[in-house]
Amino acid sequence: MSVFQPNGALLSIGGAILYTIGLNPQRLSYSSEARFPAHPIAAGMTYQKTGPGAETVTIEAKTLPHVFGGLDAYAILKAHHRSQAAVPFIRLRGNYLGEASGLCVIETLDSDEERLHPFDGVGREVEVTIGLIMLPASLGGFARNLITGIGGLL
């Protein structure tokens, strides 16, 4: 149980909200690629544009669960990952604004616990790395069908 109340929401991945106090995002990384296969021709090489590749986001987050909580958000992330649910990814901004980045799936979810607490066995420091694959908007209805009920939207 956290001493502090959740405050300062920064990211939302489905029902998991990463707060300033709680599971706190420390680093965000974005990666994408475009595909251009090469074809030899008499004059040299020519390239063909075949479309975009995977668009990925990696989020590193950290909490001190005995002080700030945050393990509830980790449990929700774990449930989304195990069910392979397509969930909305929202990056929150100041003045209650947000950027809806679209639907994503959690491809990888890693956690590290350090200095286990003697009473409950939970690490005093918990670091989580979340690997997201952003689903293309062109999937349209297919991606919307991947959302597993209203729980995927909270």
Side-chain angles (χ1 to χ4, degrees):
M1 178 162 173
S2 171
V3 174
F4 299 103
Q5 294 298 319
N7 190 350
L10 299 170
L11 296 173
S12 172
I13 305 167
I17 301 174
L18 282 63
Y19 289 98
T20 302
I21 295 177
L23 188 57
N24 182 292
Q26 303 286 306
R27 170 185 224 113
L28 276 77
S29 302
Y30 171 84
S31 176
S32 69
E33 65 178 4
R35 295 179 296 228
F36 295 94
H39 303 285
I41 58 173
M45 297 292 282
T46 185
Y47 296 90
Q48 180 181 4
K49 178 172 64 171
T50 61
E55 183 178 357
T56 62
V57 174
T58 303
I59 302 164
E60 296 176 14
K62 182 178 184 177
T63 188
L64 308 172
H66 297 93
V67 178
F68 299 125
L71 294 183
D72 53 344
Y74 176 64
I76 294 169
L77 290 169
K78 202 181 230 184
H80 289 323
H81 176 60
R82 286 184 176 166
S83 67
Q84 299 179 343
V87 295
F89 174 57
I90 301 171
R91 186 165 180 188
L92 303 169
R93 306 274 189 203
N95 298 326
Y96 302 102
L97 296 175
E99 175 187 350
S101 300
L103 294 176
C104 67
V105 292
I106 301 174
E107 180 184 29
T108 60
L109 185 62
D110 301 311
S111 70
D112 293 317
E113 296 183 43
E114 294 182 23
R115 299 176 31 223
L116 302 182
H117 197 283
F119 296 130
D120 61 7
V122 175
R124 291 184 176 129
E125 289 183 24
V126 177
E127 295 180 5
V128 178
T129 304
I130 309 149
L132 304 177
I133 297 177
M134 301 305 298
L135 298 177
S138 62
L139 286 177
F142 173 74
R144 283 191 288 276
N145 291 338
L146 291 175
I147 295 178
T148 58
I150 194 73
L153 295 173
L154 298 176

